[in-house]
């Protein structure tokens, strides 16, 4: 699904054939599929309205108007039959049921980085709250929206919460001014508290491994600390130095190459296809000899939100690898072997890393850097894929299909679908 102004366009994922075209009341700011792909939610934040469309019954539609309360966020519940709307100034979250048309309210939701999170099985939702100048977490049962647990957190200014994939542990982390990660059980007991240091800027990013065995914490001191799920103690600390010296680490460096043109095909004036191939720069990967010095950017100390520390991290689907990005070294992706707790590979790009995401089915990483190329790494090696087409298609974000057979590549105004050939077994 994609939106153009006030129109919602639904296409077949394999053929891109147009399936449905819906017209909303105003410009669409956000779209989201229900978990069973039967409904699509369209949020019109400027109007405070959510419109819902059905794929099975195109004539059916639903309109939710928050009125004077306004609307700043909207999302589906895991069952695909309830919608959670957050009003302006985070006064409340309204839970609308598509089946019974009933409404429930959750008061005092906190405006933070990640304040509403569902367990992977969809049974529970945790909501970060702020009342009387204190932080709280409420856990609700999604089947009937009854409150299961409500407890105060030992934080100065709660920044975000994240469930472990098994739904047994909830991680909560404090503001970047205070390094503190708290781990709570489903019944609200504090299992453990982790603090790596006291005074400098603290936690910047957090990621659970798919098996729930490891919690990776990226911080402003350019390190990743990994906690284990048995004692919740640190098992290792992963550094991001500007110089790679270990001979056991492979450094793939992206280098530009001049395009090769068949002289027999040259004509004047050149065809549009030939002209674009003549003037477009191509690139490939070379293996660099260690030691390798990476491009290091010194952060501006007197500005808010400095470009420093580990801002992106993600585990592969098989738990074997962890990909990280240190914002001081914006052109590099670091890939760590979790089985050995060692740095395995560094991808050194020509441009700043915009986004990376693991294939949901196998250890294969896709990276984009705001150019018309997408980069793929797997334990077998890595490659550069040029997006064909006219004009400059600058990829700023990407998203894998759940099967791992294709991915959507997004620029500011367009998108395209990249299909990957499945290996014959």
């Amino acid at each position: 699904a994609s939106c153009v102004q006030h129109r919602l366009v639904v296409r077949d994922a394999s053929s891109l054939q147009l399936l449905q075209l819906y017209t909303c009341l105003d410009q669409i700011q956000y779209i989201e599929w229900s978990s069973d792909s039967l409904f699509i939610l369209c949020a019109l934040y400027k109007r405070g309205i959510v419109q819902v469309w059905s794929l099975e019954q195109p004539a059916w539609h639903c309109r939710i108007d928050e009125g004077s309360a306004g609307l700043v966020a909207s999302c589906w519940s895991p069952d695909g039959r309830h919608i959670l709307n957050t009003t302006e100034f985070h006064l409340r979250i309204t839970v609308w049921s598509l089946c019974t048309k009933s409404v429930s309210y959750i008061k005092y939701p906190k405006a933070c980085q990640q304040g509403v999170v569902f367990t992977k099985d969809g049974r529970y939702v945790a909501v970060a709250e702020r009342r009387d100048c204190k932080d709280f977490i409420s856990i609700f049962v999604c089947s009937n929206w009854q409150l299961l647990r409500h407890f105060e957190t030992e934080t100065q200014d709660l920044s975000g919460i994240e469930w472990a994939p098994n739904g047994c542990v909830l991680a909560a982390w404090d503001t970047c001014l205070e390094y503190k990660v708290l781990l709570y059980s489903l019944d609200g007991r504090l299992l453990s508290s982790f603090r790596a240091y006291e005074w400098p800027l603290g936690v910047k990013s957090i990621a659970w491994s798919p098996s729930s065995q490891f919690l990776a914490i990226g911080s402003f001191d350019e390190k990743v600390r990994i906690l284990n799920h048995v004692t919740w103690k640190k098992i290792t600390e992963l550094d991001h130095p500007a110089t790679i010296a270990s001979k056991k680490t492979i450094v793939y460096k992206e280098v530009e190459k001049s395009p090769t043109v068949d002289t027999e095909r040259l004509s004047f004036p050149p065809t549009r296809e030939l002209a674009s191939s003549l003037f477009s720069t191509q690139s490939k990967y070379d293996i660099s000899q260690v030691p390798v010095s990476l491009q290091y950017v010194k952060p501006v100390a007197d500005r808010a939100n400095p470009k420093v520390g580990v801002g992106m991290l993600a585990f592969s689907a098989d738990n074997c690898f962890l990909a990280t990005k240190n914002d001081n070294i914006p052109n590099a992706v670091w890939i760590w072997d979790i089985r050995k707790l060692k740095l395995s590979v560094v991808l050194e790009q020509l441009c700043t890393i915009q986004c990376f995401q693991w294939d949901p089915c196998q250890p294969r990483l896709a990276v984009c850097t705001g150019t018309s190329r997408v980069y793929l790494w797997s334990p077998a090696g890595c490659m550069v894929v040029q997006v064909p087409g006219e004009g400059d298609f600058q990829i700023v974000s990407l998203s894998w299909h759940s099967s791992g057979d294709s991915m959507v590549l997004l620029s500011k105004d367009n998108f395209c679908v990249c299909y990957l050939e499945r290996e014959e077994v």
Side-chain angles (χ1 to χ4, degrees), residues 35-36 76-82 84 95 116-126 139-146 148 162-168 186:
S35 55
D36 54 8
W76 285 103
S77 67
D79 67 356
R81 297 298 177 269
H82 293 82
L84 282 73
V95 183
V116 180
V117 285
F118 294 92
T119 54
K120 197 175 179 181
D121 61 10
R123 293 176 64 187
Y124 306 104
V125 60
I139 299 175
F140 296 89
V141 182
C142 291
S143 58
N144 54 15
W145 301 101
Q146 294 297 310
L148 179 70
E162 182 74 83
W163 284 106
N166 62 11
C168 295
L186 192 58

Side-chain angles (χ1 to χ4, degrees), residues 20 26 43 53 56 108-109 129-130 148 152 165 190 216 227 230 302 329 371 393 416 419 423:
Q20 290 290 347
D26 205 337
W53 305 94
E56 285 189 330
Y108 314 113
E129 298 176 0
R130 184 80 173 176
L148 179 70
E152 187 179 343
L190 179 62
L227 310 186
V230 179
D302 57 352
I329 307 172
T371 63
F393 187 85
C416 73
Y419 298 97
E423 290 181 17

